[in-house]
Amino acid sequence: MPEMTEKRDILLRPRLYLDEGLSIGPGKIELLRAVACTSSISAAARRLGMPYKRAWMLIDSLNRGFGRPVVATAIGGKGGGGTRLTPLGERLVTAYD
């Protein structure tokens, strides 16, 4: 057996299959984290280099899969709109970590 002299980091990025058609993996979790940081789905998508439509589809798949929202959105206006994680969204990120 050859001797290993080089240290290598191992990256494990699990995908959890919770139900038929409902999975959570690193992409959805990173999107939820980016939404929490930016307070915006579109800004989160830009930060991750993904189209807005894809970001919305990922969030919508979680909303439908859990039967309740993982993000809450507010329509713009005088104070501006915004998006935040719901308690469920926050628990998903915490549990995944």
Side-chain angles (χ1 to χ4, degrees), residues 41-60:
I41 296 171
S42 60
R46 280 192 302 275
R47 176 182 275 197
L48 298 175
M50 78 171 57
Y52 172 81
K53 184 174 181 176
R54 171 107 176 111
W56 179 249
M57 287 174 46
L58 291 172
I59 289 171
D60 188 53

Side-chain angles (χ1 to χ4, degrees), residues 4-23:
M4 295 188 71
T5 58
E6 185 179 322
K7 181 182 175 187
R8 295 187 181 178
D9 292 328
I10 297 173
L11 175 64
L12 180 65
R13 298 179 60 153
R15 178 175 319 279
L16 305 172
Y17 295 92
L18 303 173
D19 200 3
E20 178 101 15
L22 177 60
S23 65

Side-chain angles (χ1 to χ4, degrees), residues 29-72:
I29 294 298
E30 286 303 312
L31 178 58
L32 291 177
R33 284 190 189 119
V35 167
C37 289
T38 63
S39 299
S40 164
I41 296 171
S42 60
R46 280 192 302 275
R47 176 182 275 197
L48 298 175
M50 78 171 57
Y52 172 81
K53 184 174 181 176
R54 171 107 176 111
W56 179 249
M57 287 174 46
L58 291 172
I59 289 171
D60 188 53
S61 72
L62 290 172
N63 291 343
R64 285 184 288 109
F66 283 104
R68 54 193 174 140
V70 296
V71 299

Side-chain angles (χ1 to χ4, degrees), residues 74-85:
I75 306 292
K78 183 178 179 184
T83 303
R84 63 174 177 77
L85 297 185

